Amino acid sequence: MPPYTIVYFPSRGRCEVMRMLLADQGQSWKEEVVTLDAWGQGTLKASCLFGQLPKFQDGDLTLYQSNAILRHLGRTFGLYGRDQQEAALVDMVNDGLEDLVQHLRQQFLHNYEEAKVQYLKELPGLLKPFETLLAQNKGGQSFIVGDQISFADYRLLDLLLNHELLYPDYLNDYPLLSAYVARLRARPKLKAFLESPEHVNRPISARLKI
């Protein structure tokens, strides 16, 4: 049995970055899919520490809170920078991505089609910090921090791929980010996962069904 179990809704949501990380690191995991109807019954929610999913099992360790899970996986697989300075930068990138995800979520909670139009206007400013960091690291030819992949790279890739579904071809306007996505996508184990039905057929959001 794989040591890892992801308990989550039938969507990419907060967990696709974990799946990409585990796949790229050659790990297997078990999925326990929670439907919205089952979640609405309240029993599972009441059993969760913070009343939220995802729930993540690593052997006898149970974790909640997606960013805590990512940091745990980062430490486990050496995906947290080479030293304290790089680790601090990885945390900074992850926090910046969290802000962007929360902003995206708030935008799309109401009128989805109107939100898409407005959000596209904001996108250059929202992506600029990540372009800047990438450009500062070997002219954009490496990772978001340092010279080895970190959990922040998987999270940034997840966000950029989700944006591709919302705005096809938008990366044409961001050559550094486009090349970055292409490099990460070409990693053999990650490529296999991203081309699998499990990823391709999984919607971004179970509620929005996109």
Side-chain angles (χ1 to χ4, degrees):
M1 290 291 291
Y4 306 110
T5 301
I6 294 172
V7 183
Y8 197 58
F9 306 110
S11 65
R12 299 181 186 183
R14 289 277 183 174
C15 287
E16 203 68 359
V17 58
M18 302 169 200
R19 298 177 182 114
M20 290 195 297
L21 185 157
L22 290 170
D24 195 42
Q25 296 301 312
Q27 302 298 308
S28 59
W29 66 94
K30 178 183 174 184
E31 294 269 356
E32 292 185 9
V33 179
V34 180
T35 66
L36 293 180
D37 286 343
W39 182 251
Q41 292 172 13
T43 304
L44 176 59
K45 182 173 183 176
S47 74
C48 295
L49 187 61
F50 298 99
Q52 298 173 331
L53 294 177
K55 174 182 177 182
F56 187 84
Q57 295 282 156
D58 179 355
D60 59 0
L61 174 65
T62 301
L63 288 174
Y64 298 92
Q65 298 294 338
S66 57
N67 285 304
I69 296 165
L70 283 178
R71 290 192 293 269
H72 169 66
L73 292 174
R75 288 187 291 266
T76 299
F77 295 107
L79 305 169
Y80 219 139
R82 292 188 182 276
D83 52 34
Q84 284 192 334
Q85 181 172 317
E86 286 193 1
L89 291 172
V90 169
D91 279 334
M92 180 186 74
V93 172
N94 190 60
D95 287 357
L97 288 166
E98 178 65 23
D99 287 347
L100 203 164
V101 167
Q102 289 293 348
H103 177 70
L104 179 62
R105 180 175 177 274
Q106 288 301 317
Q107 289 282 83
F108 281 73
L109 274 178
H110 304 293
N111 188 311
Y112 172 65
E113 291 302 329
E114 286 184 12
K116 277 184 68 174
V117 175
Q118 176 59 31
Y119 185 78
L120 186 59
K121 295 176 183 177
E122 300 175 359
L123 198 54
L126 296 171
L127 292 181
K128 183 174 174 49
F130 307 103
E131 284 192 299
T132 298
L133 287 170
L134 199 57
Q136 290 173 347
N137 189 17
K138 299 184 178 178
Q141 301 306 306
S142 189
F143 300 102
I144 196 68
V145 174
D147 60 3
Q148 65 179 26
I149 199 166
S150 71
F151 73 85
D153 287 293
Y154 296 109
R155 187 146 194 224
L156 177 55
L157 177 63
D158 179 48
L159 181 134
L160 295 174
L161 292 178
N162 286 342
H163 278 65
E164 265 193 340
L165 290 179
L166 296 171
Y167 307 105
D169 300 323
Y170 85 101
L171 278 174
N172 293 343
D173 296 327
Y174 306 94
L176 277 185
L177 290 175
S178 179
Y180 170 82
V181 167
R183 286 198 306 278
L184 293 188
R185 263 182 164 153
R187 294 168 67 88
K189 292 174 184 175
L190 187 51
K191 182 175 186 290
F193 173 75
L194 293 175
E195 292 176 353
S196 70
E198 288 77 12
H199 172 76
V200 173
N201 296 331
R202 190 179 283 128
I204 298 174
S205 166
R207 287 184 172 84
L208 292 177
K209 295 182 172 56
I210 55 173

